[in-house]
Amino acid sequence: MKKIISALILMLLICLGLAYGSHQLQQATGDGGDKVLNLYNWGDYIDPNLLTKFQKETGYHVNVETFDSNEAMYTKVKQGGTSYDLTIPSEYMVEKMRDDHLLIKLDHSKLTGFGNYGKDYLNKSFDPQNQYSLPYFWGTLGIIYNDQLIKKNSVTHWNQLWNPKYKDQIMLIDSARDIMGLSLISQGRSVNTTNSKELVAAKDKLDRLSPNVKAIVADEIKMYMAEGEAPLAVDWSGEAREMMDQNPHLHYVVPKEGSNMWFDNLVIPKTAKHFKAIYAFLNFMSQPQNAAQNAEYIGYSTPNTAAYKLLPTSIRNDKAFYPPESVIKHLQVYKNLSQAKVEEYNDLYLEFKMHK
Amino acid sequence: MTKQRKAILYVPYLLWLLLFVVAPMALIFYYSFFNVEHQFTLANYAKFFTSGTYLMMTVNSVWYALLITAITLIVSYPTAWFITKLKHRELWILLVILPTWINLLLKAYAFIGLFGRGGLVNSGLAALGLGYHQLLFTNTSFILVAAYIQIPFMILPIYNSLTEISDSYIKASWDLGATNRQTFWHVIWPLSMPGVKSGIQIVFIPSLSLFMISRLIGGNKIITLGTAVEEHFLTTMNWGMGSTIGVVLIISMLIVMAATRNRRRKGGTFK
Amino acid sequence: MKKSLLRWQNWFLIIVFVILYAPIVFLIAYSFSSGTTMDHFGHLSGVHYIELLSDKRMLAIFLDTILIAILSSTLATIVGTLGAMAIHNAKHRQTKQTLLSFNSVLMVSPDVIIGASFLIFFTALRVPLGFWSVLLSHTAFEIPIVVLMILPRLGEMSSSLINASADLGASNWQTMSQIILPFISPGIIAGFFMAITYSLDDFAVTFFVTGNGFTTLSVEIYSRARQGISLEINALAGIMFIFSLILVVVYYLIENRKPTKPKRMGAL
């Protein structure tokens, strides 16, 4: 019995020590004060130096909490119980959150840096007049290939993925909307189609892609491609940037016939409390030098045109990440679909995954 | 008086059962009868039991869970047994648990690095003149990595029940002229059954709903019920369908529990 | 004959341990790489450790994670031990089976389902999301494993032992603290360690029930996957691993130096 009690006391002492340590560290980072901003963000999706700079300039400390998918974030915001001031959903999720009354309108009179954003990236269908959102980063869906295994510039169209010579060589990103989307685009359809016949046709075409598919994976695709596990992959531009930094033999192509254009956007969820801090932060992030610093840290394409001009020429001239107007005009943005259609996309996609 | 005192000790556990098991279970049952428009319906169950996709997934899940459990048992039983014979067996058993404290995602990334095209395993095979092998995205690698994750959970209960076996039984068995082999099959194996059964429960049941490993290592070539649940909760946000699969999983668990029930009478009988 | 058999057994164990530790050695090795990811080893460097030590947010998360793990496992071990006794002492077979089945529900339900239902549950009861909700949830999903670790041990305890103790005039409390608890202590320790494993590994449940700035390492690691997990995390895993290894060995040495050590049953 003595042993048990001493073990319990030991555990309690360790816990007290840990609690004290964590409290001290949080004090050191400035958590817990009154002047705070609660940012709900993807993991590692902002340059931490900017947060320090923001605190120095405005006195607001930014508490960062992280999520790993739009839908998981949506559930948390909807359920309440927390006080997130700003979050960063993708475009279709902005639409869904708005329709479900989870967002607070932006007060444009308080925004000082709105003019810095390019018009290509504003007033999109998911949020007309940017009533609710400011673009944070944007990108495309495309094909990544390894020039040690595939001849340079030989893959430029979605349809080429179906070529039998790529048997068991392609990795796909695990996302119903994107994979169904590429099949739809290859057949000249809209990525937002609600026509069941078109969807079934797209799925049938995907089934024929099955022999070429090596694996359907998610974030780990970066590691696989960087290691040369497969010569071809379909993934988002942001992810492509990460792998290309690790393996110089990788290249990213946006097919000419069109692709998806995605946006991650800053929005104010209904759980927000610290409005002064929110606008201070939005304006801070809109400043060209800050947005440019963030873009260099993250590696994604910035919608802030003034910031774009501050980026090194090597990045600015990279057509894969800042494509010319001729490519941009063929890009399609996802619209939020009705629940029934979301399920139709997902059920078909699941059938494709199970297709042998 | 003493009876009441005893009963008070059980209160925290029963409270836990009520708040964290019965309540969420009721919620899952409740949700499973609703569609996304919050209307009462049996359609989720109808869909589950009539759609080829879901039935196929169920068969897949059970089959792979069985394989994983079998492999885990085959490796774990001798490991647990041999550890009981070591001098510092308690230290060794702690060392079996330690690897489980490293995050699953990190370990999966390590396996990607090990099994990859230029990974250590392939380099080793090449050095031995065995050439390159596609290791990732195969059913074998999926099963092996899943078994790797589960092995400590199987070793521990088996080890626990093996250490309980009193030496006198074994000596008695030898005295009666039994060989090592006979002693094992007639004394040790039956006496360690409770541990084996808890091990099977701890490993088989969660293996039904693996999804991380099936995506990361299996490349989503094997779709289990876990994948579907994940999708319904996090992509289509159809909690009704997700809950329905949850109910199916709970029912299959009850079946497994019934099958591995301890029928042995108290005091341990020799077969 | 016996010697060679022993050698064969040792080889088997060596292989099992090499496999168990291979991915971990791999992770730690890469934490010393100058590169940024685990696909190509740069040159030997301690840069990720320096990075980690200056990352106060990460260190705070790390301490919080361990705090939750130890505290919840301690609570779960206490409740679980009592629960195992409740199940073991249940009069009717049927009650026993029902309790056992309910006990395992949380082990079979996929994490997202548990997480989502706990979230609904906590917000309905207006429990603020953060440290306490995470602590409660972790304790909740650790209890079944503790129970499952202790039950077989209780089952092995012969009732004659307890009867003898009662005959000798021991009170219930004495029987419990001097006979039952020492006998099942290996199960309790195993349950405690397994509970820590469950706590450290959990992502989905923690994600749903956390809030107000409280995060654990798992949540941080999973949400970083989109950007690629930096080797700083490897360094952290490495430190944590070495630290627990030292802790376990020291614990073992202290345990075995005690003269009051109860006599263990001989090896097979």
Side-chain angles (χ1 to χ4, degrees):
Chain A
M1 201 60 211
K2 249 191 212 155
K3 225 165 141 188
I4 293 169
I5 290 172
S6 55
L8 278 178
I9 291 173
L10 180 71
M11 289 302 158
L12 277 179
L13 284 178
I14 294 173
C15 289
L16 278 176
L18 286 167
Y20 177 77
S22 130
H23 184 74
Q24 286 303 98
L25 279 168
Q26 263 155 26
Q27 294 271 297
T29 59
D31 274 16
D34 292 337
K35 291 193 81 181
V36 293
L37 174 79
N38 297 320
L39 174 65
Y40 202 28
N41 195 359
W42 300 84
D44 202 17
Y45 201 32
I46 190 164
D47 183 351
N49 292 328
L50 282 173
L51 298 181
T52 324
K53 189 177 166 198
F54 177 67
Q55 184 168 12
K56 232 179 243 161
E57 279 182 19
T58 62
Y60 293 110
H61 176 76
V62 184
N63 293 324
V64 182
E65 253 187 77
T66 51
F67 58 84
D68 78 327
S69 81
N70 279 300
E71 286 74 14
M73 181 272 293
Y74 170 91
T75 308
K76 290 281 287 191
V77 170
K78 189 175 180 188
Q79 201 61 37
T82 48
S83 57
Y84 302 122
D85 292 317
L86 280 170
T87 183
I88 309 187
S90 304
E91 72 292 315
Y92 71 97
M93 190 47 76
V94 172
E95 210 175 336
K96 184 175 172 72
M97 290 175 87
R98 182 197 62 202
D99 292 348
D100 294 348
H101 309 289
L102 294 180
L103 297 183
I104 295 172
K105 268 191 188 176
L106 289 174
D107 183 348
H108 277 260
S109 68
K110 288 184 185 158
L111 294 176
T112 55
F114 194 66
N116 295 334
Y117 295 97
K119 30 174 221 315
D120 276 345
Y121 316 112
L122 294 175
N123 197 16
K124 287 287 184 191
S125 57
F126 60 89
D127 184 21
Q129 273 105 49
N130 286 71
Q131 288 187 311
Y132 294 91
S133 69
L134 280 185
Y136 184 64
F137 281 110
W138 69 277
T140 51
L141 181 76
I143 301 171
I144 297 114
Y145 67 90
N146 188 325
D147 68 20
Q148 286 174 309
L149 304 156
I150 302 263
K151 224 175 94 198
K152 242 184 184 167
N153 299 324
S154 66
V155 181
T156 50
H157 297 287
W158 291 120
N159 273 326
Q160 286 172 304
L161 296 177
W162 273 263
N163 189 330
K165 76 174 171 191
Y166 300 134
K167 186 167 175 352
D168 207 20
Q169 301 202 339
I170 304 171
M171 286 198 163
L172 298 179
I173 184 75
D174 187 11
S175 154
R177 201 75 196 266
D178 288 307
I179 300 307
M180 288 295 285
L182 83 83
S183 182
L184 284 166
I185 290 174
S186 77
Q187 294 174 309
R189 311 286 181 207
S190 155
V191 294
N192 295 310
T193 185
T194 52
N195 179 332
S196 297
K197 258 195 204 141
E198 291 182 6
L199 286 174
V200 171
K203 187 251 165 191
D204 286 344
K205 189 169 177 185
L206 280 178
D207 283 348
R208 292 197 295 279
L209 183 65
S210 284
N212 286 3
V213 177
K214 191 184 187 84
I216 302 170
V217 283
D219 305 307
E220 56 282 2
I221 204 169
K222 292 190 289 285
M223 182 149 172
Y224 283 129
M225 287 306 286
E227 281 194 347
E229 190 64 38
L232 278 167
V234 175
D235 206 345
W236 302 301
S237 56
E239 304 257 310
R241 162 66 70 203
E242 302 275 329
M243 0 179 156
M244 287 158 69
D245 285 345
Q246 292 156 35
N247 186 341
H249 293 290
L250 297 176
H251 304 272
Y252 180 72
V253 203
V254 182
K256 291 200 179 65
E257 60 273 28
S259 182
N260 160 245
M261 183 185 202
W262 55 262
F263 287 91
D264 285 339
N265 313 275
L266 284 156
V267 298
I268 312 175
K270 64 153 198 211
T271 51
K273 287 213 177 79
H274 311 95
F275 288 92
K276 272 199 174 141
I278 290 172
Y279 285 99
F281 188 77
L282 291 177
N283 293 333
F284 176 82
M285 289 310 290
S286 302
Q287 282 171 32
Q289 66 275 28
N290 295 337
Q293 185 182 335
N294 204 27
E296 266 193 87
Y297 177 84
I298 307 290
Y300 288 12
S301 316
T302 178
N304 190 319
T305 323
Y308 169 73
K309 290 183 183 125
L310 298 177
L311 291 172
T313 34
S314 61
I315 297 179
R316 269 187 299 158
N317 293 338
D318 192 337
K319 289 215 169 59
F321 296 94
Y322 291 99
E325 195 62 38
S326 60
V327 174
I328 288 187
K329 74 176 183 216
H330 290 294
L331 298 176
Q332 305 179 39
V333 177
Y334 292 138
K335 288 195 184 117
N336 186 36
L337 300 165
S338 70
Q339 181 68 36
K341 283 295 155 188
V342 171
E343 278 183 44
E344 197 173 330
Y345 270 82
N346 277 280
D347 284 350
L348 288 169
Y349 175 65
L350 199 60
E351 279 175 38
F352 154 64
K353 278 209 256 182
M354 296 195 58
H355 184 87
K356 288 269 146 71
Chain B
M1 168 68 211
T2 48
K3 264 220 170 116
Q4 276 168 355
R5 232 208 331 336
K6 231 179 191 173
I8 286 171
L9 283 178
Y10 300 156
V11 167
Y13 182 73
L14 296 176
L15 208 63
W16 165 77
L17 274 181
L18 196 71
L19 289 179
F20 290 99
V21 179
V22 177
M25 235 169 84
L27 204 68
I28 295 170
F29 267 101
Y30 175 80
Y31 268 102
S32 72
F33 291 108
F34 285 85
N35 63 16
V36 273
E37 273 90 41
H38 298 289
Q39 290 151 329
F40 180 85
T41 173
L42 288 172
N44 293 329
Y45 287 94
K47 191 174 175 188
F48 188 93
F49 289 107
T50 54
S51 118
T53 320
Y54 286 108
L55 291 178
M56 173 107 163
M57 238 184 262
T58 314
V59 173
N60 270 346
S61 306
V62 172
W63 171 239
Y64 283 105
L66 275 175
L67 282 177
I68 292 165
T69 312
I71 291 180
T72 310
L73 182 61
I74 290 167
V75 177
S76 302
Y77 197 97
T79 309
W81 191 26
F82 298 158
I83 287 179
T84 57
K85 297 184 177 180
L86 294 177
K87 204 169 165 198
H88 298 287
R89 59 181 188 179
E90 280 160 7
L91 179 64
W92 287 106
I93 203 74
L94 288 175
L95 293 181
V96 168
I97 304 175
L98 266 195
T100 62
W101 289 3
I102 300 291
N103 193 286
L104 177 63
L105 191 65
L106 284 179
K107 277 188 288 199
Y109 273 72
F111 273 113
I112 296 174
L114 286 168
F115 286 173
R117 188 169 277 269
L120 270 179
V121 176
N122 261 321
S123 314
L125 288 177
L128 293 172
L130 294 172
Y132 167 78
H133 291 268
Q134 175 67 40
L135 300 169
L136 289 162
F137 317 126
T138 57
N139 294 356
T140 323
S141 66
F142 162 68
I143 293 168
L144 289 183
V145 174
Y148 167 87
I149 302 291
Q150 304 283 23
I151 280 174
F153 296 90
M154 181 72 95
I155 292 182
L156 214 60
I158 296 179
Y159 168 85
N160 271 339
S161 63
L162 282 173
T163 52
E164 282 155 17
I165 300 174
S166 157
D167 255 1
S168 55
Y169 287 154
I170 293 148
K171 288 210 181 96
S173 164
W174 284 336
D175 289 348
L176 291 172
T179 62
N180 273 339
R181 180 177 297 216
Q182 284 168 328
T183 308
F184 177 79
W185 286 112
H186 295 285
V187 180
I188 300 172
W189 174 255
L191 282 176
S192 62
M193 270 325 268
V196 172
K197 282 176 176 173
S198 358
I200 289 175
Q201 288 171 6
I202 295 169
V203 171
F204 180 80
I205 295 171
S207 295
L208 284 172
S209 57
L210 287 174
F211 77 95
M212 278 298 292
I213 302 294
S214 67
R215 189 193 80 199
L216 283 156
I217 305 293
N220 262 328
K221 296 212 157 168
I222 300 151
I223 307 288
T224 65
L225 290 173
T227 316
V229 170
E230 192 71 10
E231 192 150 289
H232 283 302
F233 268 83
L234 290 179
T235 315
T236 56
M237 304 190 100
N238 181 352
W239 288 23
M241 193 66 213
S243 301
T244 305
I245 302 174
V247 170
V248 172
L249 281 169
I250 291 175
I251 292 170
S252 41
M253 173 207 76
L254 295 179
I255 297 171
V256 174
M257 299 281 292
T260 52
R261 185 177 297 174
N262 269 327
R263 289 197 184 78
R264 206 159 53 83
R265 267 146 280 145
K266 270 197 174 164
T269 46
F270 296 93
K271 261 191 201 154
Chain C
M1 154 87 206
K2 199 126 201 234
K3 261 240 166 89
S4 71
L5 187 73
L6 223 102
R7 200 172 293 155
W8 174 77
Q9 294 171 348
N10 286 343
W11 275 111
F12 184 86
L13 281 182
I14 288 169
I15 292 169
V16 168
F17 273 94
V18 165
I19 292 173
L20 278 179
Y21 281 78
I24 290 153
V25 171
F26 183 84
L27 284 174
I28 296 178
Y30 267 98
S31 72
F32 291 105
S33 158
S34 63
T36 53
T37 54
M38 277 187 278
D39 62 283
H40 198 79
F41 200 92
H43 54 84
L44 208 63
S45 146
V47 62
H48 300 293
Y49 286 87
I50 297 166
E51 209 177 297
L52 174 67
L53 289 177
S54 60
D55 191 345
K56 293 214 174 67
R57 176 168 178 267
M58 195 52 122
L59 291 175
I61 292 175
F62 175 59
L63 292 186
D64 283 341
T65 307
I66 299 186
L67 173 63
I68 285 282
I70 293 181
L71 203 54
S72 65
S73 305
T74 310
L75 289 173
T77 309
I78 295 170
V79 179
T81 309
L82 297 173
M85 289 178 186
I87 294 177
H88 179 70
N89 292 338
K91 287 274 156 10
H92 303 285
R93 224 188 138 69
Q94 213 46 48
T95 326
K96 203 176 216 172
Q97 277 312 316
T98 315
L99 282 174
L100 248 180
S101 310
F102 273 102
N103 182 69
S104 299
V105 166
L106 288 185
M107 286 185 56
V108 56
S109 312
D111 291 351
V112 264
I113 295 190
I114 302 178
S117 54
F118 281 9
L119 174 64
I120 293 170
F121 180 68
F122 283 131
T123 44
L125 292 181
R126 307 209 174 277
V127 176
L129 299 181
F131 178 81
W132 295 104
S133 57
V134 173
L135 181 68
L136 278 176
S137 313
H138 278 223
T139 309
F141 68 67
E142 287 160 11
I143 288 174
I145 188 81
V146 175
V147 171
L148 283 184
M149 285 289 165
I150 295 173
L151 262 187
R153 193 92 201 169
L154 276 172
E156 284 304 310
M157 197 167 57
S158 65
S159 44
S160 56
L161 201 64
I162 296 164
N163 292 341
S165 147
D167 288 348
L168 291 170
S171 69
N172 256 345
W173 178 245
Q174 279 171 321
T175 312
M176 166 106 162
S177 65
Q178 282 168 21
I179 310 284
I180 304 179
L181 283 181
F183 188 83
I184 62 172
S185 67
I188 296 180
I189 292 168
F192 176 77
F193 278 91
M194 282 286 114
I196 289 191
T197 302
Y198 274 37
S199 172
L200 290 177
D201 227 14
D202 176 70
F203 159 71
V205 178
T206 315
F207 174 82
F208 278 113
V209 301
T210 195
N212 300 305
F214 190 81
T215 315
T216 65
L217 206 54
S218 265
V219 174
E220 186 67 18
I221 291 175
Y222 278 75
S223 53
R224 278 185 176 210
R226 194 170 93 148
Q227 291 290 108
I229 297 173
S230 67
L231 292 181
E232 187 190 333
I233 305 271
N234 284 36
L236 188 57
I239 291 177
M240 188 181 124
F241 186 76
I242 302 289
F243 187 69
S244 22
L245 190 68
I246 292 171
L247 217 65
V248 160
V249 173
V250 167
Y251 160 84
Y252 179 79
L253 289 179
I254 293 173
E255 269 299 277
N256 280 273
R257 204 161 287 168
K258 274 189 189 156
T260 53
K261 175 184 121 179
K263 198 175 156 275
R264 287 192 180 78
M265 266 173 268
L268 282 174

